Amino acid sequence: MGDYKNVTVERDGPVALVRFDRKGNRNAFNQETILELTDVARRFQDDLEVHAVVLTGTQEAFSGGIDLKERSTRDEDAEGDLERRQVYYRGVKLCQAWEDMPQVTIAAIEGMAVGAGIALPLALDWRVMGKDAFLYVPEVKIGINLQWGALPRLVTLVGPARAKRICILCERMGSAHALDWGVVDELAEDGKVVERAMEMAREAASMPAPAVRMVKEAVNATANALHKAVSYADADQSQLSSSFTSAKSESDKFVKKTG
C-alpha cells in the first residue's frame, strides 16, 4: 500500500496496523507524514477486505504535535496564497480522511499526544492509551487556535466546559483523567497499548462487516452533523492567528523550550 518514508502498514487478515515514525523529533507531524497518512486512509476507504485499523506512533510518543520548526517556514515556502491555504488545510483533510474510513479505527497512544497528536485520534472511533502516557493541548498557550477539525470532536466527547478547560488552561492530562473525561476509551499497560488495540480491532472485525459499517456511518452522521459547519474555517483561522504578534513570540519560546 504505497511506498512511504514515515509510515508502515501491516495487514493481518481483516485487521491492519498503521504505524508512523519520524525517527526522532518526538514523532512530530511534518508535511510528508501528513500526506502519507492521508493517502493511507483514502486507500482504505475502498478496501473490502480490512474491517478494522489500528493507528499508532512510537512507544516514546504517539506524536509531539505539529513540527513547529517546519511550520515556521511554511509561509516562506509557499508560492502563493492558494498553495499556502492548501498546506494549512492538509491536517483537516488528514483527519477527515480517517474519520470517513468505513472500517472501525482505533488509536493506540503511547508516551505523549500533543496538539495535532490529539487532533488525529479524535477523528478515530476509539482511543486506547498507555497508563503513563499523557495528553496536552498547547495551542492557546502559543497563541493559535486548535484546528484540524478537532474542537467540535472534542466538545462532542467531553462537553463544552471540559473542552474549554482542556484548550484554554493547557493542562497536561494523564491517562486516568483522560479516561474519566471520556477523551479515551480504555487504558493499557505501557508497551501493551498496540496489543490491546489490536485485540479490540480483531473483536470488531469478527462482527458482520456490513452491519458494523452501517452502524458506524449512522452514529457518525448523528454525532458529527454540525462538525464541519462549525469548524469549516479553522485552518484559515490558524493561518490568521499564526500572524499575531503574541503567537510569533510564544511559538518561538515554545520551540526553544521543547527543542
Side-chain angles (χ1 to χ4, degrees), residues 135-170:
L135 309 178
Y136 179 41
V137 182
E139 274 77 356
V140 166
K141 190 172 185 177
I142 59 175
I144 60 176
N145 66 313
L146 178 63
Q147 61 143 320
W148 288 22
L151 195 55
R153 294 184 180 110
L154 183 61
V155 173
T156 297
L157 284 177
V158 306
R162 287 176 171 177
K164 291 172 189 174
R165 179 162 179 170
I166 291 169
C167 296
I168 294 174
L169 296 187
C170 304

PDB file of all heavy atoms in Angstrom, residues 135-170:
ATOM      1  N   LEU A 135      -1.810  13.517  27.589  1.00  0.00           N
ATOM      2  CA  LEU A 135      -2.318  14.358  26.516  1.00  0.00           C
ATOM      3  C   LEU A 135      -2.043  15.818  26.869  1.00  0.00           C
ATOM      4  O   LEU A 135      -2.053  16.200  28.038  1.00  0.00           O
ATOM      5  CB  LEU A 135      -3.826  14.164  26.338  1.00  0.00           C
ATOM      6  CG  LEU A 135      -4.356  12.740  26.199  1.00  0.00           C
ATOM      7  CD1 LEU A 135      -5.882  12.758  26.083  1.00  0.00           C
ATOM      8  CD2 LEU A 135      -3.741  12.047  24.994  1.00  0.00           C
ATOM      9  N   TYR A 136      -1.832  16.644  25.856  1.00  0.00           N
ATOM     10  CA  TYR A 136      -1.514  18.050  26.109  1.00  0.00           C
ATOM     11  C   TYR A 136      -1.915  18.866  24.887  1.00  0.00           C
ATOM     12  O   TYR A 136      -1.498  18.561  23.770  1.00  0.00           O
ATOM     13  CB  TYR A 136      -0.014  18.181  26.395  1.00  0.00           C
ATOM     14  CG  TYR A 136       0.493  19.576  26.668  1.00  0.00           C
ATOM     15  CD1 TYR A 136      -0.214  20.478  27.442  1.00  0.00           C
ATOM     16  CD2 TYR A 136       1.732  19.978  26.162  1.00  0.00           C
ATOM     17  CE1 TYR A 136       0.273  21.751  27.702  1.00  0.00           C
ATOM     18  CE2 TYR A 136       2.236  21.249  26.417  1.00  0.00           C
ATOM     19  CZ  TYR A 136       1.501  22.130  27.190  1.00  0.00           C
ATOM     20  OH  TYR A 136       1.998  23.388  27.449  1.00  0.00           O
ATOM     21  N   VAL A 137      -2.756  19.877  25.104  1.00  0.00           N
ATOM     22  CA  VAL A 137      -3.211  20.748  24.014  1.00  0.00           C
ATOM     23  C   VAL A 137      -2.652  22.153  24.262  1.00  0.00           C
ATOM     24  O   VAL A 137      -3.243  22.944  24.996  1.00  0.00           O
ATOM     25  CB  VAL A 137      -4.752  20.792  23.946  1.00  0.00           C
ATOM     26  CG1 VAL A 137      -5.215  21.667  22.779  1.00  0.00           C
ATOM     27  CG2 VAL A 137      -5.314  19.376  23.795  1.00  0.00           C
ATOM     28  N   PRO A 138      -1.499  22.494  23.676  1.00  0.00           N
ATOM     29  CA  PRO A 138      -0.825  23.761  23.993  1.00  0.00           C
ATOM     30  C   PRO A 138      -1.118  24.916  23.040  1.00  0.00           C
ATOM     31  O   PRO A 138      -0.506  25.974  23.144  1.00  0.00           O
ATOM     32  CB  PRO A 138       0.652  23.368  23.888  1.00  0.00           C
ATOM     33  CG  PRO A 138       0.654  22.389  22.745  1.00  0.00           C
ATOM     34  CD  PRO A 138      -0.656  21.630  22.852  1.00  0.00           C
ATOM     35  N   GLU A 139      -2.056  24.715  22.096  1.00  0.00           N
ATOM     36  CA  GLU A 139      -2.235  25.714  21.043  1.00  0.00           C
ATOM     37  C   GLU A 139      -2.497  27.121  21.580  1.00  0.00           C
ATOM     38  O   GLU A 139      -1.876  28.098  21.140  1.00  0.00           O
ATOM     39  CB  GLU A 139      -3.375  25.285  20.101  1.00  0.00           C
ATOM     40  CG  GLU A 139      -2.949  24.366  18.978  1.00  0.00           C
ATOM     41  CD  GLU A 139      -2.734  22.928  19.415  1.00  0.00           C
ATOM     42  OE1 GLU A 139      -2.849  22.628  20.624  1.00  0.00           O
ATOM     43  OE2 GLU A 139      -2.445  22.083  18.560  1.00  0.00           O
ATOM     44  N   VAL A 140      -3.441  27.256  22.510  1.00  0.00           N
ATOM     45  CA  VAL A 140      -3.751  28.587  23.044  1.00  0.00           C
ATOM     46  C   VAL A 140      -2.532  29.192  23.739  1.00  0.00           C
ATOM     47  O   VAL A 140      -2.276  30.395  23.640  1.00  0.00           O
ATOM     48  CB  VAL A 140      -4.958  28.513  24.001  1.00  0.00           C
ATOM     49  CG1 VAL A 140      -5.090  29.793  24.833  1.00  0.00           C
ATOM     50  CG2 VAL A 140      -6.239  28.283  23.211  1.00  0.00           C
ATOM     51  N   LYS A 141      -1.758  28.357  24.397  1.00  0.00           N
ATOM     52  CA  LYS A 141      -0.561  28.828  25.093  1.00  0.00           C
ATOM     53  C   LYS A 141       0.438  29.460  24.140  1.00  0.00           C
ATOM     54  O   LYS A 141       1.177  30.385  24.520  1.00  0.00           O
ATOM     55  CB  LYS A 141       0.088  27.663  25.844  1.00  0.00           C
ATOM     56  CG  LYS A 141       1.191  28.076  26.801  1.00  0.00           C
ATOM     57  CD  LYS A 141       1.634  26.896  27.641  1.00  0.00           C
ATOM     58  CE  LYS A 141       2.643  27.312  28.698  1.00  0.00           C
ATOM     59  NZ  LYS A 141       3.028  26.184  29.572  1.00  0.00           N
ATOM     60  N   ILE A 142       0.468  28.977  22.903  1.00  0.00           N
ATOM     61  CA  ILE A 142       1.386  29.563  21.920  1.00  0.00           C
ATOM     62  C   ILE A 142       0.656  30.505  20.971  1.00  0.00           C
ATOM     63  O   ILE A 142       1.189  30.876  19.928  1.00  0.00           O
ATOM     64  CB  ILE A 142       2.161  28.478  21.143  1.00  0.00           C
ATOM     65  CG1 ILE A 142       1.224  27.535  20.396  1.00  0.00           C
ATOM     66  CG2 ILE A 142       3.055  27.694  22.080  1.00  0.00           C
ATOM     67  CD1 ILE A 142       1.949  26.517  19.525  1.00  0.00           C
ATOM     68  N   GLY A 143      -0.588  30.866  21.328  1.00  0.00           N
ATOM     69  CA  GLY A 143      -1.273  31.944  20.638  1.00  0.00           C
ATOM     70  C   GLY A 143      -2.041  31.580  19.390  1.00  0.00           C
ATOM     71  O   GLY A 143      -2.392  32.467  18.599  1.00  0.00           O
ATOM     72  N   ILE A 144      -2.327  30.288  19.174  1.00  0.00           N
ATOM     73  CA  ILE A 144      -3.072  29.894  17.984  1.00  0.00           C
ATOM     74  C   ILE A 144      -4.293  29.072  18.387  1.00  0.00           C
ATOM     75  O   ILE A 144      -4.449  28.683  19.540  1.00  0.00           O
ATOM     76  CB  ILE A 144      -2.194  29.086  16.994  1.00  0.00           C
ATOM     77  CG1 ILE A 144      -1.673  27.801  17.652  1.00  0.00           C
ATOM     78  CG2 ILE A 144      -1.043  29.950  16.485  1.00  0.00           C
ATOM     79  CD1 ILE A 144      -0.887  26.905  16.712  1.00  0.00           C
ATOM     80  N   ASN A 145      -5.160  28.814  17.426  1.00  0.00           N
ATOM     81  CA  ASN A 145      -6.371  28.039  17.708  1.00  0.00           C
ATOM     82  C   ASN A 145      -6.121  26.543  17.500  1.00  0.00           C
ATOM     83  O   ASN A 145      -5.154  26.145  16.830  1.00  0.00           O
ATOM     84  CB  ASN A 145      -7.509  28.488  16.787  1.00  0.00           C
ATOM     85  CG  ASN A 145      -7.227  28.168  15.319  1.00  0.00           C
ATOM     86  OD1 ASN A 145      -6.140  28.441  14.818  1.00  0.00           O
ATOM     87  ND2 ASN A 145      -8.182  27.593  14.638  1.00  0.00           N
ATOM     88  N   LEU A 146      -6.979  25.730  18.080  1.00  0.00           N
ATOM     89  CA  LEU A 146      -6.933  24.292  17.835  1.00  0.00           C
ATOM     90  C   LEU A 146      -7.679  24.030  16.538  1.00  0.00           C
ATOM     91  O   LEU A 146      -8.862  24.350  16.416  1.00  0.00           O
ATOM     92  CB  LEU A 146      -7.587  23.536  18.999  1.00  0.00           C
ATOM     93  CG  LEU A 146      -7.653  22.011  18.859  1.00  0.00           C
ATOM     94  CD1 LEU A 146      -6.266  21.400  18.807  1.00  0.00           C
ATOM     95  CD2 LEU A 146      -8.470  21.405  20.004  1.00  0.00           C
ATOM     96  N   GLN A 147      -6.999  23.443  15.558  1.00  0.00           N
ATOM     97  CA  GLN A 147      -7.652  23.216  14.269  1.00  0.00           C
ATOM     98  C   GLN A 147      -7.690  21.728  13.913  1.00  0.00           C
ATOM     99  O   GLN A 147      -7.851  20.882  14.794  1.00  0.00           O
ATOM    100  CB  GLN A 147      -6.991  24.057  13.171  1.00  0.00           C
ATOM    101  CG  GLN A 147      -5.532  23.781  12.925  1.00  0.00           C
ATOM    102  CD  GLN A 147      -5.177  23.886  11.441  1.00  0.00           C
ATOM    103  OE1 GLN A 147      -5.898  23.462  10.548  1.00  0.00           O
ATOM    104  NE2 GLN A 147      -4.021  24.468  11.179  1.00  0.00           N
ATOM    105  N   TRP A 148      -7.613  21.400  12.648  1.00  0.00           N
ATOM    106  CA  TRP A 148      -7.759  20.045  12.118  1.00  0.00           C
ATOM    107  C   TRP A 148      -9.157  19.481  12.412  1.00  0.00           C
ATOM    108  O   TRP A 148      -9.356  18.281  12.465  1.00  0.00           O
ATOM    109  CB  TRP A 148      -6.684  19.108  12.673  1.00  0.00           C
ATOM    110  CG  TRP A 148      -5.292  19.334  12.152  1.00  0.00           C
ATOM    111  CD1 TRP A 148      -4.814  20.489  11.593  1.00  0.00           C
ATOM    112  CD2 TRP A 148      -4.209  18.411  12.140  1.00  0.00           C
ATOM    113  NE1 TRP A 148      -3.492  20.329  11.235  1.00  0.00           N
ATOM    114  CE2 TRP A 148      -3.092  19.066  11.558  1.00  0.00           C
ATOM    115  CE3 TRP A 148      -4.058  17.098  12.573  1.00  0.00           C
ATOM    116  CZ2 TRP A 148      -1.860  18.446  11.389  1.00  0.00           C
ATOM    117  CZ3 TRP A 148      -2.828  16.483  12.410  1.00  0.00           C
ATOM    118  CH2 TRP A 148      -1.742  17.137  11.820  1.00  0.00           C
ATOM    119  N   GLY A 149     -10.139  20.378  12.653  1.00  0.00           N
ATOM    120  CA  GLY A 149     -11.490  19.916  12.958  1.00  0.00           C
ATOM    121  C   GLY A 149     -11.612  19.293  14.328  1.00  0.00           C
ATOM    122  O   GLY A 149     -12.622  18.650  14.639  1.00  0.00           O
ATOM    123  N   ALA A 150     -10.617  19.511  15.178  1.00  0.00           N
ATOM    124  CA  ALA A 150     -10.565  18.808  16.470  1.00  0.00           C
ATOM    125  C   ALA A 150     -11.525  19.368  17.507  1.00  0.00           C
ATOM    126  O   ALA A 150     -12.028  18.620  18.351  1.00  0.00           O
ATOM    127  CB  ALA A 150      -9.139  18.859  17.019  1.00  0.00           C
ATOM    128  N   LEU A 151     -11.772  20.670  17.472  1.00  0.00           N
ATOM    129  CA  LEU A 151     -12.547  21.281  18.549  1.00  0.00           C
ATOM    130  C   LEU A 151     -13.971  20.729  18.641  1.00  0.00           C
ATOM    131  O   LEU A 151     -14.401  20.326  19.733  1.00  0.00           O
ATOM    132  CB  LEU A 151     -12.561  22.799  18.386  1.00  0.00           C
ATOM    133  CG  LEU A 151     -13.027  23.593  19.603  1.00  0.00           C
ATOM    134  CD1 LEU A 151     -12.211  23.244  20.846  1.00  0.00           C
ATOM    135  CD2 LEU A 151     -12.938  25.082  19.332  1.00  0.00           C
ATOM    136  N   PRO A 152     -14.754  20.672  17.567  1.00  0.00           N
ATOM    137  CA  PRO A 152     -16.095  20.094  17.703  1.00  0.00           C
ATOM    138  C   PRO A 152     -16.075  18.613  18.079  1.00  0.00           C
ATOM    139  O   PRO A 152     -16.964  18.154  18.804  1.00  0.00           O
ATOM    140  CB  PRO A 152     -16.741  20.318  16.328  1.00  0.00           C
ATOM    141  CG  PRO A 152     -15.602  20.534  15.394  1.00  0.00           C
ATOM    142  CD  PRO A 152     -14.526  21.194  16.201  1.00  0.00           C
ATOM    143  N   ARG A 153     -15.075  17.884  17.627  1.00  0.00           N
ATOM    144  CA  ARG A 153     -14.979  16.477  18.024  1.00  0.00           C
ATOM    145  C   ARG A 153     -14.731  16.363  19.521  1.00  0.00           C
ATOM    146  O   ARG A 153     -15.292  15.489  20.195  1.00  0.00           O
ATOM    147  CB  ARG A 153     -13.857  15.783  17.241  1.00  0.00           C
ATOM    148  CG  ARG A 153     -14.105  15.674  15.737  1.00  0.00           C
ATOM    149  CD  ARG A 153     -13.004  14.892  15.031  1.00  0.00           C
ATOM    150  NE  ARG A 153     -13.262  14.806  13.589  1.00  0.00           N
ATOM    151  CZ  ARG A 153     -12.550  15.428  12.655  1.00  0.00           C
ATOM    152  NH1 ARG A 153     -11.513  16.181  13.011  1.00  0.00           N
ATOM    153  NH2 ARG A 153     -12.861  15.312  11.381  1.00  0.00           N
ATOM    154  N   LEU A 154     -13.881  17.246  20.044  1.00  0.00           N
ATOM    155  CA  LEU A 154     -13.597  17.237  21.474  1.00  0.00           C
ATOM    156  C   LEU A 154     -14.836  17.615  22.272  1.00  0.00           C
ATOM    157  O   LEU A 154     -15.138  16.986  23.304  1.00  0.00           O
ATOM    158  CB  LEU A 154     -12.452  18.209  21.778  1.00  0.00           C
ATOM    159  CG  LEU A 154     -11.966  18.273  23.223  1.00  0.00           C
ATOM    160  CD1 LEU A 154     -11.427  16.920  23.683  1.00  0.00           C
ATOM    161  CD2 LEU A 154     -10.891  19.345  23.376  1.00  0.00           C
ATOM    162  N   VAL A 155     -15.568  18.624  21.831  1.00  0.00           N
ATOM    163  CA  VAL A 155     -16.797  19.031  22.518  1.00  0.00           C
ATOM    164  C   VAL A 155     -17.800  17.888  22.553  1.00  0.00           C
ATOM    165  O   VAL A 155     -18.459  17.649  23.569  1.00  0.00           O
ATOM    166  CB  VAL A 155     -17.407  20.277  21.839  1.00  0.00           C
ATOM    167  CG1 VAL A 155     -18.778  20.602  22.444  1.00  0.00           C
ATOM    168  CG2 VAL A 155     -16.490  21.474  21.971  1.00  0.00           C
ATOM    169  N   THR A 156     -17.913  17.160  21.452  1.00  0.00           N
ATOM    170  CA  THR A 156     -18.835  16.019  21.399  1.00  0.00           C
ATOM    171  C   THR A 156     -18.466  14.963  22.428  1.00  0.00           C
ATOM    172  O   THR A 156     -19.343  14.356  23.055  1.00  0.00           O
ATOM    173  CB  THR A 156     -18.840  15.403  19.987  1.00  0.00           C
ATOM    174  OG1 THR A 156     -19.340  16.370  19.055  1.00  0.00           O
ATOM    175  CG2 THR A 156     -19.723  14.165  19.919  1.00  0.00           C
ATOM    176  N   LEU A 157     -17.175  14.759  22.641  1.00  0.00           N
ATOM    177  CA  LEU A 157     -16.726  13.724  23.577  1.00  0.00           C
ATOM    178  C   LEU A 157     -16.855  14.148  25.037  1.00  0.00           C
ATOM    179  O   LEU A 157     -17.293  13.365  25.879  1.00  0.00           O
ATOM    180  CB  LEU A 157     -15.263  13.350  23.294  1.00  0.00           C
ATOM    181  CG  LEU A 157     -14.984  12.475  22.079  1.00  0.00           C
ATOM    182  CD1 LEU A 157     -13.483  12.286  21.922  1.00  0.00           C
ATOM    183  CD2 LEU A 157     -15.665  11.116  22.208  1.00  0.00           C
ATOM    184  N   VAL A 158     -16.456  15.385  25.353  1.00  0.00           N
ATOM    185  CA  VAL A 158     -16.334  15.763  26.768  1.00  0.00           C
ATOM    186  C   VAL A 158     -17.280  16.869  27.210  1.00  0.00           C
ATOM    187  O   VAL A 158     -17.375  17.155  28.405  1.00  0.00           O
ATOM    188  CB  VAL A 158     -14.885  16.185  27.095  1.00  0.00           C
ATOM    189  CG1 VAL A 158     -13.902  15.105  26.693  1.00  0.00           C
ATOM    190  CG2 VAL A 158     -14.522  17.521  26.441  1.00  0.00           C
ATOM    191  N   GLY A 159     -17.969  17.528  26.280  1.00  0.00           N
ATOM    192  CA  GLY A 159     -18.837  18.641  26.629  1.00  0.00           C
ATOM    193  C   GLY A 159     -18.109  19.970  26.546  1.00  0.00           C
ATOM    194  O   GLY A 159     -16.876  20.018  26.538  1.00  0.00           O
ATOM    195  N   PRO A 160     -18.864  21.082  26.504  1.00  0.00           N
ATOM    196  CA  PRO A 160     -18.249  22.392  26.276  1.00  0.00           C
ATOM    197  C   PRO A 160     -17.343  22.878  27.397  1.00  0.00           C
ATOM    198  O   PRO A 160     -16.269  23.428  27.131  1.00  0.00           O
ATOM    199  CB  PRO A 160     -19.458  23.321  26.096  1.00  0.00           C
ATOM    200  CG  PRO A 160     -20.607  22.603  26.712  1.00  0.00           C
ATOM    201  CD  PRO A 160     -20.339  21.156  26.506  1.00  0.00           C
ATOM    202  N   ALA A 161     -17.744  22.704  28.654  1.00  0.00           N
ATOM    203  CA  ALA A 161     -16.929  23.229  29.756  1.00  0.00           C
ATOM    204  C   ALA A 161     -15.573  22.541  29.825  1.00  0.00           C
ATOM    205  O   ALA A 161     -14.535  23.187  29.986  1.00  0.00           O
ATOM    206  CB  ALA A 161     -17.677  23.072  31.085  1.00  0.00           C
ATOM    207  N   ARG A 162     -15.583  21.225  29.704  1.00  0.00           N
ATOM    208  CA  ARG A 162     -14.321  20.485  29.765  1.00  0.00           C
ATOM    209  C   ARG A 162     -13.458  20.765  28.537  1.00  0.00           C
ATOM    210  O   ARG A 162     -12.227  20.835  28.646  1.00  0.00           O
ATOM    211  CB  ARG A 162     -14.604  18.993  29.926  1.00  0.00           C
ATOM    212  CG  ARG A 162     -15.107  18.639  31.318  1.00  0.00           C
ATOM    213  CD  ARG A 162     -15.486  17.179  31.448  1.00  0.00           C
ATOM    214  NE  ARG A 162     -15.757  16.843  32.847  1.00  0.00           N
ATOM    215  CZ  ARG A 162     -16.175  15.640  33.256  1.00  0.00           C
ATOM    216  NH1 ARG A 162     -16.365  14.669  32.371  1.00  0.00           N
ATOM    217  NH2 ARG A 162     -16.384  15.422  34.545  1.00  0.00           N
ATOM    218  N   ALA A 163     -14.091  20.931  27.377  1.00  0.00           N
ATOM    219  CA  ALA A 163     -13.326  21.263  26.169  1.00  0.00           C
ATOM    220  C   ALA A 163     -12.628  22.610  26.336  1.00  0.00           C
ATOM    221  O   ALA A 163     -11.465  22.774  25.950  1.00  0.00           O
ATOM    222  CB  ALA A 163     -14.241  21.284  24.952  1.00  0.00           C
ATOM    223  N   LYS A 164     -13.329  23.571  26.932  1.00  0.00           N
ATOM    224  CA  LYS A 164     -12.715  24.884  27.183  1.00  0.00           C
ATOM    225  C   LYS A 164     -11.539  24.751  28.145  1.00  0.00           C
ATOM    226  O   LYS A 164     -10.491  25.372  27.952  1.00  0.00           O
ATOM    227  CB  LYS A 164     -13.747  25.849  27.760  1.00  0.00           C
ATOM    228  CG  LYS A 164     -14.824  26.279  26.790  1.00  0.00           C
ATOM    229  CD  LYS A 164     -15.893  27.079  27.523  1.00  0.00           C
ATOM    230  CE  LYS A 164     -17.095  27.343  26.628  1.00  0.00           C
ATOM    231  NZ  LYS A 164     -18.197  28.000  27.364  1.00  0.00           N
ATOM    232  N   ARG A 165     -11.707  23.947  29.177  1.00  0.00           N
ATOM    233  CA  ARG A 165     -10.627  23.801  30.155  1.00  0.00           C
ATOM    234  C   ARG A 165      -9.405  23.144  29.512  1.00  0.00           C
ATOM    235  O   ARG A 165      -8.266  23.583  29.714  1.00  0.00           O
ATOM    236  CB  ARG A 165     -11.097  22.980  31.348  1.00  0.00           C
ATOM    237  CG  ARG A 165      -9.999  22.781  32.386  1.00  0.00           C
ATOM    238  CD  ARG A 165     -10.531  22.361  33.720  1.00  0.00           C
ATOM    239  NE  ARG A 165      -9.428  22.174  34.664  1.00  0.00           N
ATOM    240  CZ  ARG A 165      -9.583  21.993  35.968  1.00  0.00           C
ATOM    241  NH1 ARG A 165     -10.803  21.976  36.492  1.00  0.00           N
ATOM    242  NH2 ARG A 165      -8.536  21.819  36.761  1.00  0.00           N
ATOM    243  N   ILE A 166      -9.627  22.089  28.742  1.00  0.00           N
ATOM    244  CA  ILE A 166      -8.519  21.398  28.080  1.00  0.00           C
ATOM    245  C   ILE A 166      -7.756  22.356  27.167  1.00  0.00           C
ATOM    246  O   ILE A 166      -6.517  22.370  27.160  1.00  0.00           O
ATOM    247  CB  ILE A 166      -9.044  20.193  27.273  1.00  0.00           C
ATOM    248  CG1 ILE A 166      -9.543  19.095  28.219  1.00  0.00           C
ATOM    249  CG2 ILE A 166      -7.966  19.647  26.336  1.00  0.00           C
ATOM    250  CD1 ILE A 166     -10.304  17.987  27.520  1.00  0.00           C
ATOM    251  N   CYS A 167      -8.486  23.175  26.422  1.00  0.00           N
ATOM    252  CA  CYS A 167      -7.856  24.023  25.410  1.00  0.00           C
ATOM    253  C   CYS A 167      -7.333  25.353  25.953  1.00  0.00           C
ATOM    254  O   CYS A 167      -6.305  25.848  25.491  1.00  0.00           O
ATOM    255  CB  CYS A 167      -8.839  24.297  24.273  1.00  0.00           C
ATOM    256  SG  CYS A 167      -9.327  22.823  23.345  1.00  0.00           S
ATOM    257  N   ILE A 168      -8.041  25.935  26.918  1.00  0.00           N
ATOM    258  CA  ILE A 168      -7.656  27.263  27.393  1.00  0.00           C
ATOM    259  C   ILE A 168      -6.614  27.203  28.507  1.00  0.00           C
ATOM    260  O   ILE A 168      -5.663  27.990  28.517  1.00  0.00           O
ATOM    261  CB  ILE A 168      -8.906  28.047  27.850  1.00  0.00           C
ATOM    262  CG1 ILE A 168      -9.813  28.321  26.644  1.00  0.00           C
ATOM    263  CG2 ILE A 168      -8.511  29.355  28.534  1.00  0.00           C
ATOM    264  CD1 ILE A 168     -11.139  28.970  27.002  1.00  0.00           C
ATOM    265  N   LEU A 169      -6.767  26.276  29.443  1.00  0.00           N
ATOM    266  CA  LEU A 169      -5.803  26.188  30.535  1.00  0.00           C
ATOM    267  C   LEU A 169      -4.561  25.391  30.167  1.00  0.00           C
ATOM    268  O   LEU A 169      -3.550  25.456  30.868  1.00  0.00           O
ATOM    269  CB  LEU A 169      -6.466  25.582  31.780  1.00  0.00           C
ATOM    270  CG  LEU A 169      -7.605  26.398  32.388  1.00  0.00           C
ATOM    271  CD1 LEU A 169      -8.052  25.789  33.706  1.00  0.00           C
ATOM    272  CD2 LEU A 169      -7.201  27.854  32.594  1.00  0.00           C
ATOM    273  N   CYS A 170      -4.632  24.624  29.062  1.00  0.00           N
ATOM    274  CA  CYS A 170      -3.465  23.899  28.556  1.00  0.00           C
ATOM    275  C   CYS A 170      -2.833  23.018  29.645  1.00  0.00           C
ATOM    276  O   CYS A 170      -1.604  22.995  29.809  1.00  0.00           O
ATOM    277  CB  CYS A 170      -2.428  24.866  27.997  1.00  0.00           C
ATOM    278  SG  CYS A 170      -3.058  25.973  26.713  1.00  0.00           S
TER     279      CYS A 170
END
